[in-house]
Amino acid sequence: MAAVASYKGKHVIAACKTFSYRRMKLITPFLGCMLFTVLSLPVLAHETGVATLTLNLEAADQPRLSVELDVLDLELAVGLDSDGDGAILWQEYSTQATAIQHYIQRALTLSTHDGECTLMPAPESGGVRQGAMPSVITEFTVTCPNPSTTLTVHNRLLQEIDPSATALLVLVGTGAEKSLALPLGPTIVDVADTGLMAALATYVTTGIHHILGGTDHLVFLLLLLLPAARSGSIKARLMVLTGIVTSFTLAHSITLTLSTAGYLTPPARAIEVVIAGTVVLAALLNLAKPRHRASWVIAYCFGLIHGFGFASALADMTISSGMRAANLAAFNIGVELGQLGFVLLVFPLLCILSARIDYSRYVVTPLSLVIALVGSFWMVQRLG
């Protein structure tokens, strides 16, 4: 009798080991995902603003450069809050003005074929621009060895905060205003080229960067795609996907246009909080009903809110009144291209997972739970 009990006990232990191994094999990736997310929270909480560089070439022998950076970005890069009370006062900015100038001179290099240009702080210029996110403007005079129709701009602004940070270079005084997106690293600029397509390409590029760099927007899209990936046949899944993308595109295009035109301009800070709230609500719906079919309705309703977030990013860019409609359309096209690229990358993977494992238990629920926690963190952080 003892031998039989021992024999059965061995099989029970073996079965438990097999069960534990299989469960851990499935759960381990999601535990890793959760750990990575928690470790990344401080990074995900702040989205770097667009640094705006305005190069005025009206005086060919003495160009002037204006550099505009968000106060929060400068706080992280230079340190403006000297007393650590969470508020940046005018006196604190004034005492750090020289440090800001030196930071820009180190992080930004302009050169021609004949050598590097010199950036000298312009006397009694610049200041703070008030708004939803205050920004600091610093002006320089630019002296180059020899005037040229091409200029190499080596941008390292905000690299220590966000390796994917970009800047916007606005050229004025060349006959027609032109804007160019500057990634990190060197960029050759043809200051004589004022073509329409070159200007519009800037806004397309910025739209792509904003959607791909906007973690909250991408996470929201992921939450919409999770239940859609298990909607029956391939045709049914594509129909659901089409509804989601179309609804989100239509909704955010409406509010993006209204906000850019000045008809609806809610506070940017409040919109950022509400966007984080849409992430939490979408995640909770997935947790409550992993097989729901309301993704396109959620995409439209919450997409209206995300459109205000896109408008806030577009507001950071200088838009001439005569080109407002064209630039708005180009920016929106960029957002759609970035969104489409994300969908084409993620959705097929989700469809494969839904056919191979218990999709609701091991994909929808764990990811929605993690995202709900991250979204809650964003809300608290943005309210602070």
Side-chain angles (χ1 to χ4, degrees):
M1 182 66 67
V4 172
S6 177
Y7 175 80
K8 290 183 177 179
K10 291 180 180 179
H11 277 274
V12 171
I13 293 173
C16 290
K17 288 182 178 179
T18 303
F19 176 78
S20 299
Y21 171 75
R22 289 176 179 173
R23 289 293 297 272
M24 289 304 298
K25 185 177 180 181
L26 288 170
I27 295 174
T28 297
F30 296 104
L31 293 177
C33 177
M34 293 178 70
L35 178 61
F36 174 81
T37 303
V38 171
L39 293 176
S40 302
L41 284 177
V43 177
L44 298 178
H46 175 64
E47 182 178 333
T48 305
V50 178
T52 303
L53 285 61
T54 303
L55 184 61
N56 192 325
L57 300 171
E58 290 180 356
D61 59 334
Q62 190 67 82
R64 290 178 69 93
L65 176 68
S66 172
V67 180
E68 183 172 357
L69 296 166
D70 286 355
V71 168
L72 181 54
D73 292 336
L74 277 174
E75 162 62 18
L76 296 175
V78 179
L80 302 181
D81 187 11
S82 57
D83 57 10
D85 64 351
I88 300 172
L89 304 179
W90 173 260
Q91 183 179 1
E92 291 175 314
Y93 155 71
S94 300
T95 58
Q96 294 289 358
T98 302
I100 295 172
Q101 293 169 353
H102 290 166
Y103 169 73
I104 295 173
Q105 289 171 322
R106 292 193 306 270
L108 188 66
T109 305
L110 278 64
S111 60
T112 65
H113 293 299
D114 295 322
E116 186 174 318
C117 303
T118 302
L119 302 182
M120 292 296 296
E124 299 181 359
S125 61
V128 176
R129 187 195 303 276
Q130 298 297 329
M133 174 56 71
S135 57
V136 172
I137 301 172
T138 308
E139 296 191 7
F140 301 87
T141 58
V142 182
T143 304
C144 297
N146 189 23
S148 174
T149 57
T150 60
L151 188 68
T152 299
V153 182
H154 195 103
N155 171 39
R156 298 177 297 276
L157 290 168
L158 308 179
Q159 183 178 20
E160 64 278 13
I161 302 173
D162 182 0
S164 63
T166 60
L168 179 71
L169 175 63
V170 181
L171 298 176
V172 297
T174 59
E177 183 178 301
K178 181 175 71 170
S179 303
L180 297 171
L182 296 176
L184 292 174
T187 303
I188 298 177
V189 179
D190 186 352
V191 297
D193 179 16
T194 57
L196 174 64
M197 295 309 297
L200 293 181
T202 299
Y203 290 87
V204 174
T205 303
T206 305
I208 294 174
H209 175 267
H210 181 72
I211 185 68
L212 294 182
T215 309
D216 46 7
H217 300 303
L218 294 183
V219 163
F220 177 73
L221 272 176
L222 175 60
L223 289 170
L224 299 180
L225 298 179
L226 284 174
R230 60 173 311 137
S231 301
S233 65
I234 295 178
K235 181 180 179 181
R237 295 178 188 183
L238 291 177
M239 289 182 64
V240 174
L241 177 63
T242 301
I244 292 172
V245 173
T246 302
S247 299
F248 189 66
T249 298
L250 177 61
H252 75 63
S253 297
I254 291 173
T255 47
L256 171 61
T257 302
L258 291 175
S259 183
T260 304
Y263 294 111
L264 288 174
T265 54
R269 184 184 181 89
I271 287 298
E272 291 302 313
V273 175
V274 177
I275 287 176
T278 66
V279 171
V280 175
L281 290 175
L284 292 178
L285 180 59
N286 282 355
L287 289 172
K289 194 174 182 181
R291 297 172 180 267
H292 74 83
R293 296 178 179 271
S295 295
W296 71 271
V297 178
I298 302 171
Y300 183 82
C301 295
F302 289 171
L304 293 171
I305 299 171
H306 283 251
F308 289 117
F310 296 143
S312 178
L314 187 58
D316 290 337
M317 304 177 66
T318 303
I319 305 180
S320 58
S321 57
M323 292 287 294
R324 186 175 296 276
N327 291 339
L328 171 62
F331 179 82
N332 204 32
I333 289 172
V335 170
E336 302 316 319
L337 290 175
Q339 172 184 299
L340 182 61
F342 176 77
V343 170
L344 292 177
L345 178 66
V346 172
F347 193 68
L349 176 60
L350 295 178
C351 291
I352 292 172
L353 290 174
S354 69
R356 293 180 178 271
I357 61 176
D358 189 341
Y359 183 69
S360 294
R361 176 177 296 180
Y362 297 118
V363 178
V364 179
T365 298
L367 283 180
S368 297
L369 178 59
V370 170
I371 293 172
L373 294 174
V374 173
S376 300
F377 175 86
W378 286 339
M379 286 187 66
V380 173
Q381 199 274 340
R382 293 173 183 183
L383 282 169

